[in-house]
Amino acid sequence: MPPTPDVLPVLPAAGHDFATYARTHWSRLVVTARLLTDDPGAAEELARRTLVRMCARWRRVPRNDVDFHVRRCLVRNHLRRLRGRRAARRWAVVVLRVWEGLADAEIAQLLGCSVGAVRARARHGLKEAGTDPGQLREVFTRAARDIVPGEVPLADLQAGGRLRRRRRLAVASAACAALLTPVALLAADRLGGGGAQDGTSGARPGNGSRQATSPIRVVAPGERVTAGTGVRMWLTADGGHWSVPLPGDDSDHPLDEPGVSLRVDSVNGGFFLSGLFHGLSGEPGRVEVRTGDGGRTTAKVLVLAGSPGWGIWYASTPLHRKNVQALLSVGGDDRIVTVYDASGRVAARSDLEWWRI
């Protein structure tokens, strides 16, 4: 593992106080962000957004693993702006390897990919840079000496973190209220002696049930939903979570920015397609998924109460291997997933080259 450059030595742990951590690590975060972006303004904004997100969930960050979570948030925030650009991922691996001094296994954990993928990206990234790690480290060190970060905007970071935390609490509160309302109505109905006595529970024909006709299902935070054989998923205020193939989550997407992710999990009977949509002004009108045989299907959707504008989508049945292979060979401007808003307009579409990232 290459040593960390002397110009920015590894700093001692700053306890578990966010303000102390932000003051201590701001300069290094800005330098790393600058090496990733090569843009002074974008670098400070990337560092600021990273610390705002970390401030919002600071109490849940493991005390002995703060740097990992901050680095992961920084790099993923950067790559999210450049979705589908393989060169950006290769360069991020090079920066993490050469500048941050991380081992390939650490980078793989941080990026959520295999060690083999990290090594391949590092090889291609160094080839594109046209130099070796030692020379590149010297280039990074000289560049870092020329970077003069502004003062850490601590008040702005803490205010932004509080705002994000309040939004999450509001979503959770709305979900709890939605859960308690049916119980209260049922209790009132029983206490008042209301309801039909013939087992119909006073149901009126012709109204139609939203659950019976709509692919959108409102769930409580943490409520597990069985989406298929061996597939369970759930939502929390942080994002979407899956039980296949290993426990995982999709919690680092910027939920306030339009987009939709796509993941393919191998399950019994084929491949299970699902993902996280985000950045809508309310619930989606529908989520449409290509099936690989020239057709399309409407996906099922899980959202939290309160129409937060994001949630999980998933195909109701697994796709056959040949259909998935057909999907991977799409060309032109074809997308696999399209999210429509309530008015029927396209709100988000999946990346063109997601499988090559």
Side-chain angles (χ1 to χ4, degrees), residues 86 262 264 273 288-296 319 321-338 349-356:
R86 286 173 285 173
L262 168 62
V264 180
L273 271 60
E288 196 173 73
V289 185
R290 293 167 60 94
T291 56
D293 56 0
R296 299 176 184 272
L319 295 189
R321 181 180 297 273
K322 66 178 182 181
N323 288 355
V324 173
Q325 291 173 341
L327 287 177
L328 301 189
S329 64
V330 296
D333 195 40
D334 289 336
R335 310 296 178 102
I336 296 177
V337 187
T338 304
R349 305 174 74 190
S350 58
D351 295 331
L352 278 171
E353 297 186 308
W354 62 272
W355 62 91
R356 298 176 187 159

Side-chain angles (χ1 to χ4, degrees), residues 53-101:
R53 293 179 183 279
M54 295 307 301
C55 180
R57 56 176 182 261
W58 190 252
R59 294 177 183 176
R60 294 181 286 106
V61 177
R63 290 176 179 270
N64 61 348
D65 209 15
V66 176
D67 288 340
F68 169 82
H69 288 272
V70 173
R71 279 196 189 103
R72 183 175 68 172
C73 188
L74 178 80
V75 175
R76 290 189 176 183
N77 277 343
H78 167 61
L79 294 178
R80 198 169 293 122
R81 296 173 50 250
L82 305 171
R83 330 182 167 106
R85 299 188 188 179
R86 286 173 285 173
R89 285 186 173 266
R90 291 170 179 172
W91 186 246
V93 168
V94 170
V95 171
L96 291 171
R97 211 191 208 196
V98 176
W99 175 251
E100 292 288 342

Side-chain angles (χ1 to χ4, degrees), residues 19-79:
T20 303
Y21 186 94
R23 291 191 189 98
T24 307
H25 292 76
W26 170 252
S27 294
R28 184 176 185 86
L29 282 173
V30 172
V31 170
T32 301
R34 176 69 179 277
L35 295 178
L36 288 170
T37 64
D38 196 29
D39 182 331
E44 292 218 4
E45 175 60 18
L46 175 59
R48 187 196 69 80
R49 290 182 58 192
T50 296
L51 287 179
V52 165
R53 293 179 183 279
M54 295 307 301
C55 180
R57 56 176 182 261
W58 190 252
R59 294 177 183 176
R60 294 181 286 106
V61 177
R63 290 176 179 270
N64 61 348
D65 209 15
V66 176
D67 288 340
F68 169 82
H69 288 272
V70 173
R71 279 196 189 103
R72 183 175 68 172
C73 188
L74 178 80
V75 175
R76 290 189 176 183
N77 277 343
H78 167 61
L79 294 178

Side-chain angles (χ1 to χ4, degrees), residues 20 43 54 68 87 109 115 137 142 148 181 221 228 242 263 352:
T20 303
M54 295 307 301
F68 169 82
Q109 282 186 313
V115 173
R137 195 175 306 119
R142 289 195 298 269
V148 182
T181 298
W242 286 257
R263 54 181 285 161
L352 278 171

Side-chain angles (χ1 to χ4, degrees), residues 97 104 166 276 317 351 356:
R97 211 191 208 196
D104 291 343
R166 282 198 297 269
L276 185 81
T317 57
D351 295 331
R356 298 176 187 159

Side-chain angles (χ1 to χ4, degrees), residues 81-148:
R81 296 173 50 250
L82 305 171
R83 330 182 167 106
R85 299 188 188 179
R86 286 173 285 173
R89 285 186 173 266
R90 291 170 179 172
W91 186 246
V93 168
V94 170
V95 171
L96 291 171
R97 211 191 208 196
V98 176
W99 175 251
E100 292 288 342
L102 299 184
D104 291 343
E106 294 176 288
I107 298 174
Q109 282 186 313
L110 191 146
L111 294 178
C113 63
S114 68
V115 173
V118 169
R119 290 171 180 164
R121 290 169 185 168
R123 184 171 61 252
H124 288 297
L126 289 171
K127 183 178 179 180
E128 290 168 356
T131 184
D132 60 64
Q135 293 176 328
L136 194 56
R137 195 175 306 119
E138 293 178 3
V139 172
F140 284 167
T141 300
R142 289 195 298 269
R145 290 196 181 105
D146 295 333
I147 298 173
V148 182

